Amino acid sequence: MADEDWEAEINPHMSSYVPIFEKDRYSSGENADNFNRAPASSSEMDDGPSRRDHFMKSGFASGRNFGNRDAGESNKQDNTSTMGGFGVGKSFGNRGFSNSKFEDGDSSGFWREFSNDCEDNPTRNRGFSKRGDNDLDPDECMQRTGGLFGYRRSSKFSLNKSEAEGGESSDTQGPKVTYIPPPPPEDEDSIFAHYQTGINFDKYDTILVEVSGHDAPPAILTFEEADLCQTLNNNIAKAGYTKLTPVQKYSIPIILAGRDLMACAQTGSGKTAAFLLPILAHMMRDGITASRFKELQEPECIIVAPTRELVNQIYLEARKFSFGTCVRAVVIYGGTQLGHSIRQIVQGCNILCATPGRLMDIIGKEKIGLKQIKYLVLDEADRMLDMGFGPEMKKLISCPGMPSKEQRQTLMFSATFPEEIQRLAAEFLKSNYLFVAVGQVGGACRDVQQTVLQVGQFSKREKLVEILRNIGDERTMVFVETKKKADFIATFLCQEKISTTSIHGDREQREREQALGDFRCGKCPVLVATSVAARGLDIENVQHVINFDLPSTIDEYVHRIGRTGRCGNTGRAISFFDLESDNQLAQPLVKVLTDAQQDVPAWLEEIAFSTYIPGFSGSTRGSVFASVDTRKGKSTLNTAGFSSSQAPNPVDDESWD
Ligand SMILES: Nc1ncnc2c1ncn2[C@@H]1O[C@H](COP(=O)(O)OP(=O)(O)OP(=O)(O)O)[C@@H](O)[C@H]1O
């Protein structure tokens, strides 16, 4: 598809489920017929084509304007992911997506299917983090097959040889992804649009900060102390930043001093600016020259993050802070046309924001050279190093030309850092890296009021509707465990006349972006999401997070509820605790609630007590997060903003592991 076609592709009606739910079209007979006739595919996306068929036949109008698309294009696209708003495909079709009811306990249909879905789901048993096992960005991630880094891409995602060799999905074998995302707005007001800090922003100063490692530079208290250049200061002011958050107070001077850093701070507390500002300041000080059109670009900085929407968000922040400078930020991510990514890059690239899959593809195509890399940033670093992305990250640092860790600066940020991941991270970092912990490592944001309700599987939908009706139009994210379930619940809520959209890894990228857009602007105040939306997304005015299904790890829980209560604003999180499946989470949940000074229900404490495993801090479901820098170096405790942190004289390195 040519560049100029993108406008036609971005059809305003294509996004979501909501307004046009035509339940009459979903008679079980018709669905079953269409879906059953559709050819089975071996991939996770096997319902893509069948779904498209169905939508076209039934005249369903939720998605893009199917009628305007020719068959060739349909064929080209549709293996990549599911089509149309309802994206449920054969699952519903096979058992009849009744137009009138989703009866609780109707075991012939959805619920039985989902039990199976969950049982099959490796997340229940896997180590490290949950995300990815049930909702990976198909071309971003890899699947576990064994060994610490010994994983291969899963056939589940229908990746072919050319991909394994660094190519994008297949000129020859697989579908061609043609989506070209719309360019972001260019006007200054949009670039600097921001939301207000909340009433608790100043309370950040009371959080204890721990810095470990040797010779940490002192924290700064104000932006002025950072001594950034005038353009950066102007951009900071235009972004509405007047005061540093704790993670910024500590991280900015550390990065400016050229040190490697692992930083852990609560969700929504400004980690993105904490790495972007000092990197940009360095670039400006080094007298960076405008990068020009070249077939091979050699950026100075690569920032990787686990999801497409998150790298896009980081890119927008980078573009904002580099406004008026000659630094050019570029974003590339899967689910979009590879040619488009390449065209963005060849125009010049100083800061490359990328998802791992697309990054490795582009490096394989020799559009990006790594020789000039001075900064490597892993946002959501624990996720980037776990079983899903760790192998890709290892490949990245072993790529020809990539400066060794001694020659580059490596920065890792997250709200959670399990101990085992901290150990893996050491391979990427210089041995004298500094570790900054703002508050409890892995702790939940205290501005989120957390409630845990005991709700059984078959009562969840009723409870959800009750809560959403009380909430009214306030923006709410509802997290569920699987992609199918996301579709199902979104559809169900639409049927209940609650404007809802959904985001998950089986939706096409254009649909994901449209869904997020509809949620951001309030057109759909409810977003049903899988873990793909758990991390990093910074959406104004998300007042509620509902865990319809609890996640399999406590870290995931912390990230999910962190979509609300950001930047000093308050938020609420309600979690449905199912006694049949969530008991393993009771113990770490009690700890997170207690640490965040939340009420702990007596029944939950009882479960936690009865399932208590002394000394348990493993990495499986319910793991307890790291409480400290795993090197066990001496550290200083400070309240953010009062005194600088200076690590004591070096202790023996040997004692650090
Ligand atoms: N010093 C500041 N003053 C005002 N607003 C800020 C400041 N720092 C960051 N923000 C804003 O706070 C919001 C949250 O920041 P950011 O997304 O970087 O959080 P985060 O710590 O990375 O969260 P997460 O752990 O969820 O990824 C953003 O809207 C950002 O623009």
Side-chain angles (χ1 to χ4, degrees), residues 195 197 201 223 240-245 248 266-273 313 317 320 380 415 536 538 563 566-567:
Y195 61 84
T197 57
F201 190 80
F223 281 111
Y241 291 21
T242 51
K243 201 175 156 189
L244 291 155
T245 66
Q248 294 163 357
Q266 69 183 73
T267 50
S269 65
K271 294 187 284 293
T272 317
Q313 185 179 297
E317 292 291 289
K320 172 170 87 180
E380 308 297 342
D538 183 51
R563 294 318 98 212
R566 298 177 71 77
C567 206

Side-chain angles (χ1 to χ4, degrees), residues 250-301:
Y250 285 83
S251 301
I252 290 174
I254 288 172
I255 299 171
L256 285 174
R259 300 290 296 273
D260 282 6
L261 172 66
M262 185 187 285
C264 192
Q266 69 183 73
T267 50
S269 65
K271 294 187 284 293
T272 317
F275 60 77
L276 281 177
L277 290 174
I279 289 174
L280 282 165
H282 260 167
M283 287 180 165
M284 302 301 288
R285 273 181 209 169
D286 290 350
I288 197 165
T289 50
S291 94
R292 284 172 294 121
F293 183 94
K294 260 191 293 174
E295 283 298 323
L296 176 75
Q297 291 288 333
E298 298 189 309
E300 286 81 6
C301 172

Side-chain angles (χ1 to χ4, degrees), residues 28-318:
S28 54
E30 183 186 350
N31 274 349
D33 187 25
N34 284 341
F35 287 129
N36 288 340
R37 265 191 270 134
S41 148
S42 59
S43 80
E44 187 188 19
M45 279 69 92
D46 56 1
D47 36 80
S50 56
R51 208 172 300 172
R52 157 69 65 83
D53 280 349
H54 167 68
F55 289 128
M56 295 185 82
K57 285 175 193 164
S58 64
F60 177 69
S62 85
R64 77 188 78 184
N65 188 349
F66 292 152
N68 288 345
R69 299 169 65 88
D70 61 60
E73 189 171 357
S74 302
N75 288 341
K76 228 166 41 174
Q77 288 224 342
D78 278 4
N79 263 352
T80 51
S81 68
T82 60
M83 300 298 301
F86 283 86
V88 179
K90 70 179 181 186
S91 310
F92 283 162
N94 286 345
R95 66 187 149 276
F97 183 0
S98 157
N99 68 353
S100 57
K101 53 186 174 288
F102 300 94
E103 298 290 2
D104 281 338
D106 176 7
S107 60
S108 64
F110 176 80
W111 294 109
R112 194 175 55 193
E113 181 83 2
F114 271 115
S115 314
N116 294 340
D117 202 28
C118 296
E119 278 159 24
D120 291 346
N121 192 323
T123 62
R124 293 282 171 185
N125 303 317
R126 60 141 190 60
F128 291 28
S129 93
K130 164 202 171 97
R131 208 207 83 81
D133 291 342
N134 66 345
D135 196 2
L136 295 160
D137 277 339
D139 50 353
E140 314 302 0
C141 202
M142 303 163 91
Q143 279 291 88
R144 169 183 178 179
T145 56
L148 202 52
F149 281 111
Y151 308 106
R152 61 172 169 77
R153 286 180 189 261
S154 165
S155 59
K156 194 178 163 196
F157 300 115
S158 61
L159 298 173
N160 52 39
K161 186 162 176 287
S162 77
E163 283 170 300
E165 289 166 359
E168 165 103 358
S169 36
S170 105
D171 295 334
T172 48
Q173 298 173 40
K176 213 170 191 163
V177 177
T178 57
Y179 174 57
I180 296 176
E186 289 293 336
D187 65 288
E188 216 174 304
D189 284 350
S190 305
I191 291 173
F192 287 98
H194 61 271
Y195 61 84
Q196 295 303 309
T197 57
I199 47 168
N200 291 336
F201 190 80
D202 287 340
K203 286 196 192 158
Y204 281 154
D205 286 342
T206 61
I207 301 175
L208 288 177
V209 180
E210 182 174 356
V211 181
S212 41
H214 308 315
D215 303 322
I220 53 171
L221 301 183
T222 62
F223 281 111
E224 292 71 44
E225 275 183 67
D227 198 19
L228 309 172
C229 71
Q230 194 51 46
T231 316
L232 271 183
N233 283 330
N234 291 345
N235 291 342
I236 290 166
K238 281 193 260 181
Y241 291 21
T242 51
K243 201 175 156 189
L244 291 155
T245 66
V247 70
Q248 294 163 357
K249 287 174 182 170
Y250 285 83
S251 301
I252 290 174
I254 288 172
I255 299 171
L256 285 174
R259 300 290 296 273
D260 282 6
L261 172 66
M262 185 187 285
C264 192
Q266 69 183 73
T267 50
S269 65
K271 294 187 284 293
T272 317
F275 60 77
L276 281 177
L277 290 174
I279 289 174
L280 282 165
H282 260 167
M283 287 180 165
M284 302 301 288
R285 273 181 209 169
D286 290 350
I288 197 165
T289 50
S291 94
R292 284 172 294 121
F293 183 94
K294 260 191 293 174
E295 283 298 323
L296 176 75
Q297 291 288 333
E298 298 189 309
E300 286 81 6
C301 172
I302 288 182
I303 302 168
V304 284
T307 66
R308 300 161 182 183
E309 291 75 15
L310 181 54
V311 286
N312 204 29
Q313 185 179 297
I314 296 168
Y315 157 72
L316 293 174
E317 292 291 289

